[in-house]
Amino acid sequence: MADKKPAKAATGKAAAKTAPRFTAEERAAMRERSRELKQSKSRADGEADLLAKIAEMTGSDRQIAERLHALITATAPDLEPKTWYGMPAYARDGAVLCFFQPAAKFKARYATLGFNDKAMLDDGSMWPTTFAITALTPEGEKRVVELIERAVG
């Protein structure tokens, strides 16, 4: 049997046609992040941007985001409200600690409350960092407060 040469990888335009593409929602989020990075903002400006993003939401996304904002700012008033990839987020020392991803943003089945690696949620060698939210019940609100308290250390 003759030795076969390995197939060449596609390059140039051919590679662009076969490469995975970002969705329109992902491209929009990246454009929003680029704008966020170009603008230096005060805490008040960051909170105004966050509240404007919440105001753009509809239905349960908006209800959940409004309640999360109230819970997070009451539980950890030292966190800085801002937007991150066009989503409501809360930072400490410039680094995003947690964020809310509305279901509609990426046409998902549910909204999520996510935590970045700065959050102190460590629990052994494996722990959750993103939580699905379909509605905020009193039990869910209690869980959010516990997570935020733990995340800020």
Side-chain angles (χ1 to χ4, degrees), residues 14 45 53 60 85 88 93 104 111 126 152:
D45 291 338
K53 283 297 176 187
S60 64
Y85 292 95
D93 300 326
M126 186 174 166
V152 296

Side-chain angles (χ1 to χ4, degrees), residues 53-132:
K53 283 297 176 187
I54 291 174
E56 292 173 6
M57 296 176 195
T58 59
S60 64
D61 281 345
R62 185 173 184 173
Q63 293 170 341
I64 293 167
E66 287 172 342
R67 190 65 190 130
L68 282 174
H69 179 66
L71 291 169
I72 293 169
T73 55
T75 304
D78 59 316
L79 292 181
E80 177 187 345
K82 62 189 295 178
T83 57
W84 186 61
Y85 292 95
M87 298 178 287
Y90 303 85
R92 176 188 278 164
D93 300 326
V96 171
L97 186 83
C98 63
F99 59 93
F100 174 69
Q101 180 178 303
K105 180 130 181 114
F106 297 109
K107 300 177 184 169
R109 187 166 60 96
Y110 47 78
T112 60
L113 173 63
F115 293 86
N116 284 338
D117 61 330
K118 299 293 180 193
M120 304 303 231
L121 299 179
D122 304 38
D123 185 17
S125 61
M126 186 174 166
W127 56 89
T129 59
T130 306
F131 299 82

Side-chain angles (χ1 to χ4, degrees), residues 4-48:
K4 291 186 178 183
K5 292 183 179 179
K8 287 186 177 180
T11 59
K13 289 183 182 179
K17 289 180 183 178
T18 60
R21 299 184 185 229
F22 292 108
T23 65
E25 294 82 7
E26 290 167 331
R27 286 191 304 275
M30 289 185 281
R31 281 190 300 275
E32 287 188 79
R33 183 64 181 141
S34 179
R35 277 192 296 275
E36 293 163 0
L37 290 170
K38 290 176 186 174
Q39 301 169 344
S40 63
K41 299 185 180 216
S42 68
R43 181 184 176 96
D45 291 338
E47 186 162 22

